Amino acid sequence: MKAKSMAEHVLALNAGSSSLKFALYELVEDRRPSMRWRGQIERLGDAPRLLAQSAGGRSVDRQLSGAKTHDEAISAFLELTREYLPDIHVRAVGHRVVHGGPVYSEPVVVDEHVFDTLSGFIPFAPLHQPYSLAGIKAAAAAFPGTTQIACFDTAFHRTHPWVNDTFALPQRFYEKGVRRYGFHGLSYDYVSQKLKEIAPGLYDGRVVIAHLGNGASMCAVSGGRAVASTMGFSALDGLPMGTRSGQLDPGVVLYMMQQEGMEADEIAELLYRKSGLLGLSGMSSDMRTLLAADTPDARKAIEYYVFRIRRELGALSAALEGIDALVFTGGIGENAARIRQMVCEGMRWIGIDMDPNRNADNATVLSTDFSRVRILAIPTNEEMVIARAAARMA
């Protein structure tokens, strides 16, 4: 038996272009992950800062002199563990990987072959996949010999029926991987399993989950299995987001190229970083700022955001042939009572009846006792999904 000072841990990492989020879990009874520390190193390459908090409430906020790369960010994390948890043993590192392509529908141990396969999916997610891979390489160097496990945002959606998996393009594109993948799968996985715990009858039914944050999407789930998603080939599709456009007529992209003379990189910059709530409002990508501002442009951005949620809610309910529950999650979904209210006020015709007092109190159940469709708010925890996979596969 290992001494307590060498308690086994798993580490969950989420590597972005300019940040590294981490969560460290101790494996307690039955190898259940119990969170010890979580945080992030933000503004990599610029003015990096480490923000972390322990399960006991201890906080760390420090400027870093280095940390320009993911390797250096993990080194900064290791300094944190040496300072506060000097004798831990990291048994496995789990990674959020945005794209698993048509190949991976479950978490997988990363070896050279898997890494090369994931590298082949970079054209599917050029603004995300390289950073996921950089995080894996950095962790493998920092924890030599430790199992590295990839957990995919696309995996939850691999149960889509063909009609929700394809585009009306020549078949050769589908065979090359041009498909409706869907994203935020780790979040949908967690929320679905949480729903199974607190309301198993609803879990077995027809559920629409709205993951509303800086990135936003919605997913239709039947009996715990994904049926359809608002996101498709890329993380641009569907709902408008903080800085991303959401659904867009492809003819608009052709217009940008042919009439505006824009190159692919310029269009990507516009659609990923200068559109969405930021583009509509001309002010901010942050819903809190827009709700507080109450200017005409801020109101227009919010109205469009809510309209698209209602539109997609109707479409996903049709894909499910009905709806038994609507679940809000993500930063906006969990905290913005006004947005939840605006969404539900426009959907009474489908059987959604929100209790305004429960909504204002951020209760778990937000619907009235007489609502045909149950409304819930469930905080997501993508890192826990990664940690469970790492604990299971270590």
Side-chain angles (χ1 to χ4, degrees):
M1 180 180 294
K2 284 184 177 292
K4 186 172 179 61
S5 61
M6 287 296 289
E8 292 189 335
H9 288 66
V10 294
L11 175 63
L13 293 181
N14 181 355
S17 60
S18 61
S19 67
L20 180 74
K21 296 179 182 178
F22 58 84
L24 183 68
Y25 296 82
E26 183 178 359
L27 299 182
V28 293
E29 66 274 7
D30 300 324
R31 298 178 64 78
R32 176 175 58 83
S34 176
M35 200 272 287
R36 298 287 304 279
W37 281 87
R38 71 185 307 164
Q40 64 179 330
I41 299 170
E42 57 186 25
R43 302 184 69 180
L44 290 178
D46 181 16
R49 193 175 196 87
L50 186 151
L51 304 168
Q53 188 168 28
S54 74
R58 175 176 286 175
S59 296
V60 175
D61 181 349
R62 63 179 61 154
Q63 202 75 36
L64 303 173
S65 57
K68 294 183 179 181
T69 67
H70 291 88
D71 298 82
E72 292 168 342
I74 290 182
S75 294
F77 166 76
L78 289 175
E79 286 295 326
L80 177 73
T81 61
R82 281 192 283 267
E83 185 174 347
Y84 293 101
L85 299 165
D87 297 311
I88 68 168
H89 171 60
V90 175
R91 184 172 177 83
V93 182
H95 300 265
R96 177 192 176 220
V97 178
V98 168
H99 221 297
V103 178
Y104 299 112
S105 58
E106 298 287 344
V108 63
V109 174
V110 180
D111 57 19
E112 186 175 348
H113 170 73
V114 170
F115 190 89
D116 289 343
T117 302
L118 296 180
S119 298
F121 300 148
I122 288 175
F124 295 166
L127 300 185
H128 295 87
Q129 195 80 346
Y131 303 109
S132 300
L133 298 176
I136 293 173
K137 288 183 69 174
F143 300 95
T146 300
T147 304
Q148 307 292 319
I149 297 162
C151 303
F152 304 101
D153 255 346
T154 52
F156 186 76
H157 303 284
R158 291 297 81 222
T159 56
H160 286 182
W162 180 81
V163 292
N164 290 332
D165 198 44
T166 191
F167 296 101
L169 295 170
Q171 186 69 18
R172 69 179 184 275
F173 289 100
Y174 184 84
E175 293 167 356
K176 289 180 178 179
V178 180
R179 307 180 183 188
R180 295 184 186 273
Y181 288 101
F183 298 89
H184 294 131
L186 298 175
S187 177
Y188 293 129
D189 189 347
Y190 179 85
V191 172
S192 294
Q193 292 305 311
K194 195 67 177 178
L195 190 63
K196 188 175 184 179
E197 292 177 19
I198 64 178
L202 292 179
Y203 170 85
D204 290 332
R206 302 162 298 182
V207 181
V208 174
I209 305 173
H211 177 105
L212 308 178
N214 190 54
S217 70
M218 297 168 68
C219 182
V221 182
S222 178
R225 292 168 63 87
V227 172
S229 170
T230 59
M231 280 185 171
F233 178 69
S234 74
L236 279 172
D237 203 5
L239 303 177
M241 297 163 239
T243 63
R244 284 177 255 172
S245 64
Q247 185 272 330
L248 190 71
D249 183 338
V252 175
V253 177
L254 294 177
Y255 171 85
M256 292 174 179
M257 295 170 62
Q258 295 168 349
Q259 302 302 319
E260 299 289 330
M262 296 176 69
E263 301 290 339
D265 289 347
E266 292 178 276
I267 295 174
E269 177 71 13
L270 174 66
L271 298 184
Y272 274 100
R273 297 192 174 96
K274 296 180 179 178
S275 297
L277 293 174
L278 175 62
L280 286 167
S281 69
M283 176 189 302
S284 175
S285 63
D286 193 315
M287 181 60 77
R288 293 167 296 186
T289 301
L290 299 179
L291 287 169
D294 198 30
T295 64
D297 286 340
R299 287 195 296 271
K300 286 180 179 178
I302 293 169
E303 288 168 4
Y304 181 76
Y305 184 78
V306 169
F307 167 75
R308 291 299 311 198
I309 294 171
R310 290 201 297 253
R311 176 171 168 154
E312 297 293 349
L313 177 54
L316 293 175
S317 298
L320 289 167
E321 299 183 5
I323 178 172
D324 300 307
L326 168 64
V327 182
F328 289 98
T329 194
I332 296 173
E334 295 166 23
N335 301 300
R338 183 175 161 194
I339 297 299
R340 295 194 302 252
Q341 177 186 351
M342 292 173 69
V343 169
C344 292
E345 281 178 347
M347 299 302 296
R348 288 195 178 101
W349 62 274
I350 207 171
I352 288 174
D353 189 13
M354 173 175 277
D355 185 312
N357 294 321
R358 291 173 179 173
N359 184 48
D361 291 341
N362 283 326
T364 298
V365 177
L366 305 173
S367 47
T368 67
D369 294 338
F370 307 102
S371 179
R372 185 177 62 78
V373 176
R374 296 285 297 277
I375 314 167
L376 301 96
I378 299 178
T380 193
N381 190 340
E382 294 157 303
E383 290 83 8
M384 178 58 79
V385 175
I386 297 171
R388 287 170 178 168
R392 185 172 65 250
M393 300 174 69

